[in-house]
Amino acid sequence: MNETGKATDPPPLTVLYDGACPLCRREIGVYRGLQPLRADAPLCFADVSDAALPLPPGTTREQLLARFHVRGRDGVLLSGAQAFLALWAELPGWRWLALAGRLPGAAWLMERGYRLFLRGRPTLQRWAFRLERPAPQRPGDGDAGS
């Protein structure tokens, strides 16, 4: 309850993502297109590559850009596999992964897989940047009557 006696809405689950990363933008685009399972529990997406965005207390932009993070409704900051599991638990079509992550050893295995992905992320980002850019025009391309 707030000072007026009205019930306050819980803060949304906040997804902190790297909007400068083409891989991250694509994945977040998928998540944004889904309605949360609970209508009373919205999701918030915050692009931490935006220097104007205030950061959660006790964090740095570099830290948040290095790994996937989610700030839970309780204010706790989760990263890596735990962050993905918290997000997936809120989304239709993804909840089964969150449930699978509760199996003994599954979250540990998912975290190891995520760390392996992070090693290759710079290379994957370069490839994704190349795919996003339009091909350079060569002289004579697009000339009428050629």
Side-chain angles (χ1 to χ4, degrees):
M1 296 235 175
N2 62 19
E3 59 269 357
T4 63
K6 294 183 180 177
T8 56
D9 293 330
L13 184 79
T14 303
V15 178
L16 305 164
Y17 71 98
D18 181 357
C21 167
L23 302 171
C24 305
R25 283 194 307 268
R26 286 175 188 239
E27 183 173 10
I28 295 303
V30 170
Y31 298 146
R32 281 185 175 197
L34 301 172
Q35 292 296 320
L37 291 169
R38 295 178 18 213
D40 65 333
L43 298 177
C44 178
F45 295 88
D47 176 1
V48 294
S49 71
D50 179 355
L53 181 80
L55 303 178
T59 65
T60 66
R61 198 162 310 281
E62 183 177 80
Q63 172 193 9
L64 296 174
L65 291 171
R67 292 172 55 89
F68 181 72
H69 291 80
V70 168
R71 186 175 50 215
R73 288 184 175 81
D74 57 3
V76 174
L77 191 65
L78 303 171
S79 76
Q82 292 300 323
F84 281 107
L85 292 171
L87 174 60
W88 294 338
E90 302 292 327
L91 297 173
W94 294 85
R95 187 158 187 206
W96 68 273
L97 274 172
L99 295 173
R102 293 183 186 168
L103 295 173
W108 180 88
L109 191 59
M110 289 175 171
E111 179 64 27
R112 296 308 169 271
Y114 182 62
R115 289 181 184 187
L116 185 62
F117 161 79
L118 288 175
R119 287 185 186 171
R121 181 179 169 203
T123 301
L124 294 171
Q125 284 176 312
R126 283 191 296 277
W127 291 346
F129 275 124
R130 286 186 198 133
L131 292 174
E132 280 189 336
R133 292 186 199 145
Q137 290 256 335
R138 293 183 302 216
D141 282 356
D143 289 344
S146 302

